[in-house]
Amino acid sequence: TGQSPLQVMQSLNVIQGRPSWDSKALIGMINTSGKYDHDLRFTYEKDDKGEIISCFAWTKKDGEIVEGIPYTMAKAEKEGLLRKNNSYWNKDHVLMLTYRAVSRFASINCPEITLGLYTTEEVRDFSTEKQSKASLNDVLAEDVEVECEVVE
């Protein structure tokens, strides 16, 4: 991504032996990659009460929309993220939805930027009880639905 060693050191965190990218840094890496027509945008869905319940990241490449997979509060609840003590999900769930949306966008659309690393927030969220039950890859891949179009 053309980052200096200092930038990489500031953006890379090691949590329980797992290297991970800071979500803010990942947004910056995607936005400055030159791969897309403009910076990432975020679309939020609200429930009947006006509360934000999902987010997905998107941008354009050659005029075509490029989307990530939405991340929802229902998924966060299913994964136990809202029940954790001192969870940032309970303090600012919109920010956490946004960070998850960025991670999902990058995993599908620009894995060469993430280099296969998860975000710091993902590793923190899944490094406790879920980690002992399944591998991080299994937990993060669970319930992912991708709509694909075959182009000939």
Side-chain angles (χ1 to χ4, degrees), residues 9-94:
M9 288 171 40
Q10 289 177 319
S11 304
L12 195 64
N13 298 297
V14 178
I15 301 169
Q16 295 184 355
R18 290 183 176 270
S20 59
W21 291 118
D22 179 81
S23 292
K24 293 179 294 255
L26 182 56
I27 293 168
M29 287 187 274
I30 294 168
N31 288 344
T32 60
S33 69
K35 183 172 180 171
Y36 300 105
D37 297 348
H38 59 73
D39 290 352
L40 286 174
R41 306 285 202 278
F42 302 96
T43 298
Y44 300 93
E45 179 186 356
K46 295 181 179 181
D47 64 11
D48 296 339
K49 299 174 190 168
E51 291 288 321
I52 293 175
I53 59 170
S54 74
C55 176
F56 72 91
W58 64 276
T59 187
K60 288 186 177 181
K61 182 176 183 174
D62 300 326
E64 297 290 323
I65 294 175
V66 180
E67 293 181 344
I69 299 170
Y71 196 84
T72 66
M73 288 300 292
K75 181 140 177 75
E77 187 167 339
K78 180 180 177 184
E79 293 173 345
L81 302 177
L82 308 180
R83 294 186 300 272
K84 290 179 143 188
N85 291 335
N86 299 320
S87 171
Y88 208 78
W89 281 91
N90 296 318
K91 297 174 188 162
D92 192 348
H93 75 277
V94 176

Side-chain angles (χ1 to χ4, degrees), residues 13 15-21 71 75 79 81 84 100 103-104 107 116-144:
N13 298 297
I15 301 169
Q16 295 184 355
R18 290 183 176 270
S20 59
W21 291 118
Y71 196 84
K75 181 140 177 75
E79 293 173 345
L81 302 177
K84 290 179 143 188
R100 282 298 164 84
S103 176
R104 288 178 152 212
S107 293
L117 300 181
Y118 293 107
T119 65
T120 299
E121 293 76 15
E122 288 172 310
V123 174
R124 281 187 183 138
D125 283 343
F126 293 108
S127 64
T128 57
E129 76 239 26
K130 285 259 188 184
Q131 189 62 23
S132 64
K133 295 178 186 174
S135 77
L136 184 61
N137 289 333
D138 294 338
V139 171
L140 295 174
E142 183 180 293
D143 294 332
V144 172

